[in-house]
Amino acid sequence: MRIRTLPVYSRLAEETAVPPEVQARLPEGWRLSQHQVETYTALTKGNADVIFNTAMTGDGKSLAGQLPALIRGCDWPMMAMYPTNELIRDQRQQLALTMKAWNASLYCDEEPLTSERLNNLLEAGDYTQRSEALLGVLQTNDVLLTNPDIFHYIMEQFYIAGHDAPDRIAGRLAQRFSQLTFDEFHIFDIPQVISVLNALLFIDEIRSTAHPHRYLFLSATPGELMLEYLHRSGLEVCEIQGAYCHSEARPDPAQWRQILHAATVDFPPEPRVEVWIEEHLDDTLLPFFLERRPSAKGAIIVNSVAAAKRLVAQLKPLLAAHQLTVEENTGATSPARRKDSYAADVLIGTSTVDVGVDFQINFLLFESRDGGTFLQRLGRLGRHNGYTRDEQFYPFRDFVAYAVTPSWVRETLFEGKDGVPRLLEPEAMMNREQFNAAIREAYPLPARFDAYARLWGELQTVKIMSGLSNATVREQYKEIRPRLQQRYEATFGIRLHAAWGRYKDLRARQKVLLEEAEAFRGGSYFSCCLIDETEQGANRFKCVNLFLVAAHAELQSLDEETFYAEVARAGLTRRLFERQEPLAFYRLYGWREDREEVKLRLNRDIRGWGAEQFGRAQALKGFQIDTQLPGLPTLNHRLERRELPALLCLGFHPLELKRRLRLPLLFAVFSFTSCDGVAGCVAFGREALLLEARLQVTKIDCGGGAMVF
């Protein structure tokens, strides 16, 4: 099955609509899109607090958000946040080129603000405390690029040393930056939405009327729950959309700029990308590159690190025989290899590259977890006329995608299902907006976790309010606290007096649950350290998720001191790995083709437990890995003593539970068996908290003789 998408053109702004100060600084030959001018105006002259720019991929949303800083310089300091470090690096390179083109007088550190950067500043002796390092970075940058994780921990008052006032860094951030930009924020779920709105409401309450703040979200359509919260928050919101022309005939270039090329999208019947490669390496993939050489460049994006690793091992020697290069880009890939991957003929990656990263490719093979992932990945294709290598430009002549989807998605799209007509006509030519709408409709709506704010999100809010009640700042915030509490309660539908009592109880009795609720993306409880023999030098040393390697990797067990001795010989610092609290140490040699299911054992008798101990997150000890794995006794000795946020649900296989609750494909749920033979599912960490919220509105019996409502 195949369809063709039409080229996409973005509406250019009329010259009379461009503010004079922007027109005066506009680089020679540049024209701005209509949505970019509207975004600049909303940020600098409008009344809205929160601006959503939902322009299409490739239409210059990043530049739209940068315009006030480019024009006003240090008078408009900006903090921009990106969900992945790979996207931060990509945006830093793009920003350097943009500042040069606009002759902008802005200071922006070469190295973005990440946890690794903070670690390096401390290791170098530049600062003795994290709080001081953060203040130094905040004060010296006119444009600061970072991730929302660090923003969260600043605003939740984590980076506090000694007798510092709880608001020391959060208050400085709030006063320092005129604009906060959140890029690709739609990929996050309700815990992150609550975190950001907690921060924005706090900043809104303490801001000076002479120092307005603007909060810009650059992403696909904002989630329903976020809009509901914003509507109740008292923040004024506006949405800016792009204006587009979809046409085979090129429209007037004085009014329209091309942002996406026409593309052919194939929907093959193979269930996975790896199977497609086996079937079509010789008749499709290789001919595409050889027939178009050198005007061909591609990407393969898969759902798992293991699949990407296996494909690299398989394709690298096969394509090298034809003088074609293959490189990987995953969360388990060293920074040096990730950088090299963009220059390769074929990049093989995972979700590290499908969010916002700018590709110069004309071939794309991908699989997806859901409708949003499908559109994110397809959006990497058709953004450029060609690519440059060794100062030589190579133009693309066509753009082709192969979208590997589940059979029921293809059936819904091309045949219709349950009496509903098909959404796409085979071989049809259509515009991107129609096509995107069909893809979203074909995939089921993802589960909502509405109860999360009341169950767990309120604890983030309590932490902020607790800090503002600290003796060092209590008087300063005595008028703000009641107003802020009222806004928090109205926004999230919570009652902070009751939440405060629960906060104190969890801190005293189940601190691991409280720490999980307070984290931005959740804690990491199953880290292991690797010496990856597929890498070189210091890049061999990594910390990764234990379940990933247990299911897919060829491993040799290492004792702890052997690992750290090799770390020292490589010139690395032991503390960088100890911070991850690893459960095991391995030497990794490669990746298996077959996946090993990871099962767990709970070293406790639970047959007599009541209903209150199932379907609810709790702090539990006694888990062991029940899978063939080197060094298992030592690993399990460490693991069973570790207290974990966990939720037990009896009587279901993980796949069945996820289907019943409409949980995301990669939602981490595992099989377990107790000492007394009781079997079921277990979720850990953030998934445990989210699963409890989902079970609050779903009639599923998780055990103990009672239904959970």
Side-chain angles (χ1 to χ4, degrees), residues 165-220:
D167 68 337
R168 184 184 180 209
I169 306 175
R172 178 58 184 160
L173 186 154
Q175 299 300 334
R176 171 77 177 114
F177 296 104
S178 300
Q179 178 183 329
L180 302 178
T181 298
F182 301 87
D183 202 357
E184 306 289 355
F185 196 76
H186 61 277
I187 73 168
F188 287 118
D189 215 324
I190 185 171
Q192 293 80 30
V193 169
I194 292 170
S195 163
V196 167
L197 290 182
N198 271 327
L200 300 195
L201 289 173
F202 168 71
I203 294 172
D204 193 58
E205 280 295 331
I206 68 170
R207 70 177 180 176
S208 164
T209 55
H211 184 71
H213 287 82
R214 295 291 183 262
Y215 316 119
L216 175 65
F217 291 83
L218 306 173
S219 64

Side-chain angles (χ1 to χ4, degrees), residues 113-115 118 134 146-155 159:
L113 177 58
T114 62
S115 59
L118 289 176
L134 275 167
T146 185
N147 54 53
D149 308 63
I150 285 181
F151 175 73
H152 165 85
Y153 289 113
I154 289 174
M155 301 309 296
Y159 296 119

Side-chain angles (χ1 to χ4, degrees), residues 105-330:
S105 181
L106 292 166
Y107 183 77
C108 178
D109 283 340
E110 287 292 329
E111 189 177 354
L113 177 58
T114 62
S115 59
E116 182 181 4
R117 167 94 184 278
L118 289 176
N119 290 338
N120 292 339
L121 289 172
L122 294 175
E123 294 292 339
D126 296 341
Y127 300 93
T128 58
Q129 295 177 331
R130 239 175 171 75
S131 58
E132 297 300 328
L134 275 167
L135 285 171
V137 175
L138 291 177
Q139 291 166 354
T140 56
N141 281 269
D142 300 317
V143 176
L144 178 61
L145 274 56
T146 185
N147 54 53
D149 308 63
I150 285 181
F151 175 73
H152 165 85
Y153 289 113
I154 289 174
M155 301 309 296
E156 290 280 327
Q157 306 161 10
F158 278 90
Y159 296 119
I160 301 300
H163 298 288
D164 282 348
D167 68 337
R168 184 184 180 209
I169 306 175
R172 178 58 184 160
L173 186 154
Q175 299 300 334
R176 171 77 177 114
F177 296 104
S178 300
Q179 178 183 329
L180 302 178
T181 298
F182 301 87
D183 202 357
E184 306 289 355
F185 196 76
H186 61 277
I187 73 168
F188 287 118
D189 215 324
I190 185 171
Q192 293 80 30
V193 169
I194 292 170
S195 163
V196 167
L197 290 182
N198 271 327
L200 300 195
L201 289 173
F202 168 71
I203 294 172
D204 193 58
E205 280 295 331
I206 68 170
R207 70 177 180 176
S208 164
T209 55
H211 184 71
H213 287 82
R214 295 291 183 262
Y215 316 119
L216 175 65
F217 291 83
L218 306 173
S219 64
T221 304
E224 292 181 10
L225 201 54
M226 186 171 193
L227 289 176
E228 289 175 19
Y229 288 155
L230 283 169
H231 179 71
R232 300 199 295 255
S233 72
L235 294 169
E236 187 168 338
V237 181
C238 79
E239 182 177 340
I240 295 170
Q241 301 174 335
Y244 301 106
C245 171
H246 307 263
S247 173
E248 281 193 284
R250 185 177 180 86
D252 182 0
Q255 298 184 44
W256 302 92
R257 174 177 54 237
Q258 187 169 18
I259 61 169
L260 288 174
H261 288 269
T264 299
V265 185
D266 266 271
F267 290 81
E270 286 77 18
R272 294 180 294 116
V273 160
E274 289 180 273
V275 178
W276 188 95
I277 292 287
E278 291 176 9
E279 297 291 330
H280 300 291
L281 173 63
D282 293 322
D283 66 21
T284 303
L285 191 149
L286 263 176
F288 183 92
F289 286 88
L290 298 180
E291 291 169 7
R292 293 162 179 78
R293 186 199 300 265
S295 295
K297 208 159 174 287
I300 300 173
I301 307 179
V302 291
N303 289 334
S304 77
V305 171
K309 294 277 190 179
R310 289 193 297 265
L311 285 170
V312 170
Q314 175 190 359
L315 293 180
K316 199 175 183 94
L318 293 175
L319 270 62
H322 300 275
Q323 293 76 52
L324 295 169
T325 56
V326 176
E327 292 293 345
E328 71 177 67
N329 194 317
T330 75

Side-chain angles (χ1 to χ4, degrees), residues 458-641:
E458 65 182 13
L459 300 175
Q460 291 184 14
T461 311
V462 168
K463 189 171 192 311
I464 290 179
M465 295 299 294
S466 173
L468 301 184
S469 301
N470 185 279
T472 58
V473 296
R474 186 181 301 138
E475 186 65 21
Q476 175 185 343
Y477 288 102
K478 68 177 182 180
E479 295 182 0
I480 289 176
R481 281 196 308 274
R483 296 200 307 267
L484 189 55
Q485 176 172 336
Q486 186 177 28
R487 292 183 75 178
Y488 281 146
E489 292 182 339
T491 299
F492 300 125
I494 58 178
R495 292 292 176 264
L496 286 180
H497 180 74
W500 175 238
R502 183 163 171 248
Y503 183 94
K504 291 190 290 186
D505 184 65
L506 285 172
R507 188 168 58 187
R509 300 172 183 272
Q510 299 190 82
K511 192 175 181 181
V512 68
L513 282 178
L514 179 60
E515 290 173 346
E516 180 60 42
E518 290 177 339
F520 185 69
R521 302 191 202 218
S524 177
Y525 305 97
F526 301 96
S527 292
C528 68
C529 288
L530 300 178
I531 301 177
D532 185 348
E533 298 297 351
T534 67
E535 297 266 17
Q536 300 293 321
N539 292 325
R540 297 182 303 144
F541 298 90
K542 302 172 181 176
C543 272
V544 301
N545 183 277
L546 173 67
F547 292 133
L548 167 67
V549 295
H552 298 283
E554 297 287 351
L555 302 170
Q556 176 189 348
S557 180
L558 286 174
D559 66 79
E560 185 172 354
E561 288 311 313
T562 298
F563 175 82
Y564 285 123
E566 294 208 31
V567 164
R569 283 195 292 272
L572 300 176
T573 303
R574 178 175 180 142
R575 287 193 298 275
L576 295 176
F577 299 92
E578 289 178 329
R579 288 191 187 104
Q580 305 297 319
E581 299 181 343
L583 288 166
F585 302 84
Y586 296 110
R587 201 179 298 276
L588 183 148
Y589 292 101
W591 300 83
R592 297 191 299 266
E593 184 174 345
D594 297 324
R595 181 183 184 277
E596 174 107 9
E597 184 178 1
V598 179
K599 298 181 180 180
L600 294 118
R601 173 181 172 85
L602 179 56
N603 199 16
R604 303 176 68 167
D605 292 335
I606 64 173
R607 194 175 295 277
W609 284 12
E612 72 281 358
Q613 292 176 282
F614 298 99
R616 296 178 182 175
Q618 56 187 308
L620 282 178
K621 289 183 179 181
F623 286 100
Q624 297 178 336
I625 302 288
D626 188 15
T627 301
Q628 293 298 317
L629 199 60
L632 194 59
T634 302
L635 187 162
N636 278 335
H637 179 68
R638 291 190 180 106
L639 178 58
E640 68 180 341
R641 293 182 298 166

